[in-house]
């Protein structure tokens, strides 16, 4: 423990010096940020045609001095130029790198005019005024220089008191030169930035050209006329027909989705109904068996009702058994002897039916006819 404390005590002055240097750098960066608060709240200012006018005497700053940090009243003036057509995130990242190359940086961005751009590179989508205004609203820029030169001369660098030039390290071939930044690199005033892969102005234009029909149809739907879009009569009708077909496809898709959703709901409800019906049917069958089964309540009700009927109805004795209750004998009246007993069943003549009487008549007729024949 004592050794550790001694070591800490011996390294104290060096750590204090390092902390003081870090605090100085932070103060310079804070002072720089405080001076550039206007750039974060308002558009960046345009450069003066006469050049940079500062009260502080201009002295050339070396790369080592710039990396260590300069006083707040003397920021390192870094220049970055370009076309900046269709200003995108790749441009903004490059300018952010140029802004953060040194702790205390004043970033000047030069934008070439339409005349120079159309002459050396090609036609632009945005006009020069539109490109100027787009860059003024980038948060990393302190100053925008209009009508920037295509190649940088020593007089231009001195006029605007530029310390370093920021650009990507890839050789830029243009205007009959293999690299327009070659003399800047040789003078030790070049600071390299990195490109952002996957996005560039050429890539954006390629996307628009590749999907030309889609964007024409899109603008026709938004109210642009065929004349404004430079589209012929036949192509206009074709694009409008394609829009109608797309609308029909969308409606069909919506109907299909709604129908699928409806069928899904019906299936869910039908399954619920089937489950409920099965449960209710089981309950009904169970209740039926409980009520009308061999051991059910219905037979018990029938037995009870039969017992109640037997209890309510009079008791009838069997035919062969003698009567349980005593009977009184009736006294024979004198007239009862005169009443004859009924004849036996064999002696009683039953009344003849009409068919039997007809048969008797026929037989008597036959007998009489036979007798008459015998007489003759």
């Amino acid at each position: 423990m004592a050794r550790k404390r001694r070591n800490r005590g011996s390294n104290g002055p060096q750590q204090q010096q390092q902390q003081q240097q870090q605090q100085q750098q932070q103060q310079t960066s804070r002072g720089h940020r405080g001076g550039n608060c206007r750039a974060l709240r308002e558009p960046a200012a345009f450069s003066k045609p006469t050049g940079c006018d500062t009260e502080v005497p201009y002295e050339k700053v070396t790369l080592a001095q710039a990396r260590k940090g300069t006083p707040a009243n003397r920021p390192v003036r870094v220049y970055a130029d370009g076309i900046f057509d269709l200003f995108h995130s790749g441009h903004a990242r490059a300018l952010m790198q140029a802004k953060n190359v040194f702790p205390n940086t004043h970033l000047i961005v030069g934008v070439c005019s339409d005349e120079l751009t159309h002459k050396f590179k090609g036609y632009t989508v945005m006009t020069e005024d539109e490109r100027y205004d787009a860059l003024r609203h980038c948060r990393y820029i302190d100053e925008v220089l209009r009508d920037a030169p295509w190649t940088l001369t020593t007089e231009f660098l001195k006029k605007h008191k530029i310390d370093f030039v920021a650009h990507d390290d890839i050789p830029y071939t243009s205007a009959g030169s293999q690299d327009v930044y070659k003399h800047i690199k040789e003078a030790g005033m070049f600071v390299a930035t990195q490109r952002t892969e996957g996005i560039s102005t050429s890539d954006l234009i390629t996307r628009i050209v590749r999907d030309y029909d889609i964007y024409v149809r899109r603008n026709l739907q938004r109210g642009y006329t065929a004349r404004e879009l430079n589209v012929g009569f036949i192509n206009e009708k074709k694009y409008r027909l394609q829009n109608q077909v797309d609308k029909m496809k969308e409606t069909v898709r919506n109907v299909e989705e709604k129908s699928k959703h409806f069928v899904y709901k019906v299936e869910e409800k039908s399954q619920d109904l089937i489950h409920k019906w099965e449960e209710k049917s089981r309950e009904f069958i169970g209740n039926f068996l409980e009520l009308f089964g061999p051991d059910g309540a219905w037979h018990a009700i029938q037995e009870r009702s039969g017992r109640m009927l037997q209890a309510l109805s009079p008791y009838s004795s069997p035919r062969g058994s003698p009567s349980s209750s005593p009977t009184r004998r009736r006294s024979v009246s004198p007239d009862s002897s005169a009443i004859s007993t009924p004849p036996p069943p064999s002696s009683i003549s039953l009344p003849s039916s009409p068919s039997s009487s007809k048969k008797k008549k026929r037989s008597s007729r036959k007998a009489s006819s036979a007798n008459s024949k015998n007489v003759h």
Side-chain angles (χ1 to χ4, degrees), residues 228-240:
E228 291 175 342
L229 297 173
N230 196 20
V231 176
F233 177 78
I234 296 173
N235 288 330
E236 179 189 2
K237 298 302 178 184
K238 181 184 74 174
Y239 293 139
R240 293 192 183 279

Side-chain angles (χ1 to χ4, degrees), residues 181-201:
Y181 298 103
K182 184 178 180 181
H183 62 288
I184 304 294
K185 294 176 182 178
E186 291 176 351
M189 297 175 61
F190 186 82
V191 179
T193 58
Q194 298 295 324
R195 280 178 173 264
T196 302
E197 297 295 333
I199 186 168
S200 65
T201 303

Side-chain angles (χ1 to χ4, degrees), residues 251-287:
T251 54
V252 170
R253 288 174 186 172
N254 293 330
V255 171
E256 286 180 354
E257 289 178 357
K258 290 181 180 179
S259 61
K260 287 179 181 178
H261 187 63
F262 177 74
V263 170
Y264 180 72
K265 281 187 175 180
V266 170
E267 287 180 354
E268 284 185 349
K269 290 183 178 179
S270 61
Q271 289 178 358
D272 293 337
L273 290 173
I274 289 169
H275 288 304
K276 289 180 181 179
W277 182 80
E278 288 178 352
E279 292 176 357
K280 294 293 182 183
S281 62
R282 289 172 185 171
E283 291 180 1
F284 178 76
I285 292 169
N287 294 331

Side-chain angles (χ1 to χ4, degrees), residues 61-69 102 164:
V61 179
T62 62
L63 186 62
Q65 290 175 349
R67 286 178 177 173
K68 287 181 180 179
F102 307 113
F164 297 96

Side-chain angles (χ1 to χ4, degrees), residues 170-182:
I170 300 171
Y172 194 83
T173 305
S174 180
S177 176
Q178 295 296 325
D179 189 3
V180 295
Y181 298 103
K182 184 178 180 181

Side-chain angles (χ1 to χ4, degrees), residues 200-321:
S200 65
T201 303
S202 300
D203 292 339
L204 295 176
I205 294 173
T206 302
R207 294 180 198 175
I208 295 170
V209 173
R210 182 185 59 196
D211 300 328
Y212 171 78
D213 293 346
I214 295 172
Y215 293 115
V216 171
R217 289 163 54 189
R218 170 184 175 273
N219 286 351
L220 285 173
Q221 287 180 347
R222 301 217 171 175
Y224 287 89
T225 61
R227 182 176 295 178
E228 291 175 342
L229 297 173
N230 196 20
V231 176
F233 177 78
I234 296 173
N235 288 330
E236 179 189 2
K237 298 302 178 184
K238 181 184 74 174
Y239 293 139
R240 293 192 183 279
L241 180 61
Q242 289 175 352
N243 289 333
Q244 295 295 328
V245 172
D246 290 342
K247 287 182 181 178
M248 291 295 294
K249 287 181 180 179
E250 287 181 0
T251 54
V252 170
R253 288 174 186 172
N254 293 330
V255 171
E256 286 180 354
E257 289 178 357
K258 290 181 180 179
S259 61
K260 287 179 181 178
H261 187 63
F262 177 74
V263 170
Y264 180 72
K265 281 187 175 180
V266 170
E267 287 180 354
E268 284 185 349
K269 290 183 178 179
S270 61
Q271 289 178 358
D272 293 337
L273 290 173
I274 289 169
H275 288 304
K276 289 180 181 179
W277 182 80
E278 288 178 352
E279 292 176 357
K280 294 293 182 183
S281 62
R282 289 172 185 171
E283 291 180 1
F284 178 76
I285 292 169
N287 294 331
F288 182 83
L289 293 175
E290 289 179 358
L291 185 62
F292 298 102
D295 298 331
W298 180 252
H299 291 279
I301 292 170
Q302 283 185 344
E303 290 178 358
R304 290 177 183 176
S305 62
R307 291 174 184 174
M308 290 175 68
L309 290 173
Q310 287 179 2
L312 294 173
S313 62
Y315 179 77
S316 58
S317 61
R319 294 179 181 178
S321 62

Side-chain angles (χ1 to χ4, degrees), residues 24 52 63 108 166 192 222 302 329 331 341 361 367:
Q24 287 178 359
C52 178
L63 186 62
I108 306 165
R222 301 217 171 175
Q302 283 185 344
R329 291 183 178 180
S331 59
T341 60
K361 289 180 180 180

